[in-house]
Amino acid sequence: MSIPSTSVDVPVRVRELARGAALTPVWLNGIGGLTFRTDDGRYIKWGPLDDEANMRDEAERMRWARTWISVPPVVDLRLAKEALRHRVG
């Protein structure tokens, strides 16, 4: 886990969710997941499809962590349709 270089490839879905805001990569985890900070104060997390580490569970962990430490609030959780289709069908 580390702070990625500014030359990291930004996934298309992250650019869509940023809605034109400038993006700064702030975290890269061991399975290729990325966290970006937007210039309008949001954080966008993205990760590859993985059965053990998924965004729904991560959102729950972040909501729980807010009880104990300062973390950005979970404002929205959007899962790629392809990922949902893969998991359901």
Side-chain angles (χ1 to χ4, degrees):
M1 291 185 247
S2 63
I3 298 172
S5 71
T6 54
S7 63
V8 69
D9 289 332
V10 178
V12 171
R13 186 68 179 134
V14 171
R15 290 197 185 281
E16 291 170 357
L17 292 170
R19 299 185 309 263
L23 294 163
T24 302
V26 295
W27 194 250
L28 169 64
N29 70 26
I31 63 168
L34 295 162
T35 302
F36 297 87
R37 181 178 53 240
T38 64
D39 64 353
D40 59 7
R42 295 175 292 139
Y43 286 84
I44 299 173
K45 298 188 88 165
W46 175 91
L49 183 61
D50 184 285
D51 288 333
E52 293 184 23
N54 62 67
M55 291 300 141
R56 184 174 287 130
D57 291 347
E58 177 67 6
E60 275 306 308
R61 285 189 289 273
M62 290 188 66
R63 289 181 182 113
W64 174 86
R66 286 185 60 82
T67 304
W68 313 106
I69 60 173
S70 177
V71 297
V74 176
V75 177
D76 192 3
L77 176 62
R78 297 182 192 187
L79 302 174
K81 290 178 186 172
E82 300 80 37
L84 288 174
R85 198 169 27 250
H86 175 75
R87 288 188 185 280
V88 173

